[in-house]
Structures are given as C-alpha cells and as structure tokens.
Amino acid sequence: MKTKMFKLKDVFNIYKGKRLTKADMIEGDINYIGAISDDNGVREKIGQDAIFIPNCITVNYNGSVGEAFYQIKPFWASDDVNVLYLKDMELNENFALYLITIIKANKYKFSYGRKWTLDKMNDTEIPLPVNFNGDIDWNFIEEKMCQLKNKHITTKIVYKNNDLNFNTWKQFLIKDIFDCDICECEDFGNVEKGTAKFIGRTSYNNGVQGFVDSETFTKGKCITIGMVGSFSPFWQENEFVASQNILNLRNVNLNKYNSLFIISCLKKLIQGKHSYNRPIQKQKFINEIISLPVTGNQPDWKYMENYIKSLQYSDRI
C-alpha cells in the first residue's frame, strides 16, 4: 500500500479546548477531558454544558503530551487538549483507532517542556495510505481495521514454557557477542518522503519515524538502539534508513525471536543509566555487561528463540 505525508490541518479541523478551573466545576454527568493518559482522557464529570460535539479525536498538547482518544459523547475539553474533527469524511471507530495510532507515533517529538501547540499540531505530518489519485484511501483503512477486529485470536504454543533459571546464566561484554556500529545516517527533515523505513530515536512504532526516499541504507537483521532520546532497542528485519546516533548490534545467530529475548535484557541494562544529559557512548556501551542463558560458554541462541516461541501469541510475531 502506497502512503503519502499529510499535514494534520489538511485532514482535520483542529480546535483548542477551554479552561475550566476545579473551583468552578459543578457536579454532573458531562465528560471533562483533561491532559491525562488513561480513562479515555476523562478527568472529571461536570454539570456544565458540553462545548464539543462527539465523534472526534482529542489530543493532549500539554501534560501527558500526545495521548489521543476517540470521543463518542458530548464533552468539555480543557485548554490543555486539542480537539480534531475529520474534514472530508465522517469519523467512525475504525478510522479513529487507525488515526490515533498514527498520531501517537509523533509523541516522542514533544514533552512537558516542548508542548504540542495548536500551530505545531496543524503542521505535523502523518503518513496515510492513498489511492491511485493520491487521496486518502479510507476504504483501505476500513478494511484493514475490520480484518484486525475480526481476526480470530489464537495462541499456538510451539514449545512448552521453559523455566528461567538465572543461576545458569553467564555474563558477557556486549563487544564479545555483538558487532556494534553507528548507522550511516540521514536527517529526516532533509530527505524526500518515500517508501523506505526511517528509524529514528523514538520509543514507538518499532522505531519507525516515517518513510523516506534515500540510498543511504543500513542492512537489516540487527537490533537498533537510539544513543540519545528514548534509548529504545528494536529488531529490524529489513534494511532501513537511520537517523543520527543510532547503534546497530549484529550477530549471525540473531533472528526475530531470540532478538526479542535479547531486547528485554538490553532494556534492563539501559534503563535508568541514560538520559538527555547522559547519552549512550559506543566505546563505553560495548564494555557493558549483559547476562544471558548459555550452552557451554556461549549464549544459548536456540534456548532464547524457543523461550519466546513458548509465550502466548508468539505465533503473531
């Protein structure tokens, strides 16, 4: 499916919410949407009249920046929330869930100190599927979401669950089990939009920031880690274009199953050690210690693969 980048202002009419202090609220049953990350954004129930009609998407520009929800009842939105109404098509649940996923992929760009203001939101670009005329392919979106909803959930357990006996694991230096290099990079803002995956320093969407047209590719079959920003590791099956400061870890034994096992171990290793002011440095990182299950004195790649295959929904990987 071909995609094209659209500015949010070309897809939605976007409105800012209205301030209402806690002291001025009266009890009632109207949803008050605040800049929170749960409960579909409903922070309070109030007695004031709703100021927005339903069938829209709310996106926090402050607080829990980038959290988005589908609203199906009349509501009041706080001034920390922007309200998005679809322009040329009536919104429904399938469209909303698809669009929310795409919108939330932009969360990494914003924070409490860098708010997703109305102007910035209007100019934010999102990739959407298009038809032969270059228009948004709403039929594709509807069919795709229906397929996901109607797909029978099964759990095909390939292997019996293995016990994790940490006493039998061994410590390794990163450099002893992985070839570790910094990817050749491109600047996302300076490349034409296209079909190649662009891996950025984000913690969402398997690191995919967008799709570009570039000849600066990094081979797949590796784990990528952002050296600044989110520091999130992801498995990359196919070749990709990388942003600045992306590490890639390689071993001929890596595959999509055992890489997920490794990624869990890497997250534990990285968590809490790095921040905006303490980025990952390659020479220090390759001398970090990671604990892994072993066979003999080497990582047990097959055990790690089989363990992931033993988990629920592993047949969906």
Side-chain angles (χ1 to χ4, degrees), residues 1-4 6 128-137:
M1 169 53 61
K2 185 177 180 180
T3 63
K4 188 170 81 173
F6 292 86
L128 292 173
V130 293
N131 55 30
F132 292 112
N133 296 322
D135 300 321
I136 299 173
D137 194 339

Side-chain angles (χ1 to χ4, degrees), residues 95-115:
F95 294 159
L97 294 178
Y98 188 98
L99 291 165
I100 284 171
T101 302
I102 303 299
I103 290 169
K104 289 175 70 171
N106 287 275
K107 286 173 59 174
Y108 74 97
K109 300 177 183 177
F110 305 97
S111 64
Y112 182 80
R114 188 170 186 265
K115 306 183 193 306

Side-chain angles (χ1 to χ4, degrees), residues 204-236:
Y204 301 97
N205 202 29
N206 208 62
V208 178
Q209 185 175 344
F211 295 86
V212 300
D213 183 13
S214 173
E215 296 181 357
T216 307
F217 287 102
T218 299
K219 291 183 179 179
K221 308 293 183 186
C222 67
I223 294 172
T224 55
I225 305 175
M227 301 169 69
V228 295
S230 71
F231 311 107
S232 296
F234 295 107
W235 168 251
Q236 306 300 339

Side-chain angles (χ1 to χ4, degrees), residues 35-73:
I36 60 176
S37 60
D38 52 10
D39 293 333
N40 208 60
V42 179
R43 202 181 80 189
E44 309 280 351
K45 292 282 191 177
I46 62 174
Q48 279 86 351
D49 292 335
I51 59 174
F52 290 102
I53 61 174
N55 210 29
C56 60
I57 294 170
T58 54
V59 183
N60 300 344
Y61 95 84
N62 195 11
S64 296
V65 180
E67 290 295 338
F69 304 100
Y70 178 43
Q71 305 300 337
I72 60 172
K73 295 180 180 180

Side-chain angles (χ1 to χ4, degrees), residues 121-133:
M121 191 171 291
N122 271 311
D123 288 331
T124 297
E125 291 187 327
I126 59 173
L128 292 173
V130 293
N131 55 30
F132 292 112
N133 296 322

Side-chain angles (χ1 to χ4, degrees), residues 151-169:
K151 190 172 183 179
H152 181 57
I153 298 298
T154 62
T155 301
K156 182 181 179 182
I157 302 298
V158 181
Y159 294 91
K160 290 185 177 180
N161 205 339
N162 299 294
D163 292 330
L164 290 173
N165 184 2
F166 298 106
N167 294 325
T168 65
W169 290 27

Side-chain angles (χ1 to χ4, degrees), residues 177-179 221 235 249-255 258 301:
I177 51 175
F178 294 110
D179 294 322
K221 308 293 183 186
W235 168 251
L249 277 58
R250 299 181 184 278
N251 185 297
V252 67
N253 296 292
L254 272 179
N255 59 40
N258 57 37
W301 303 99

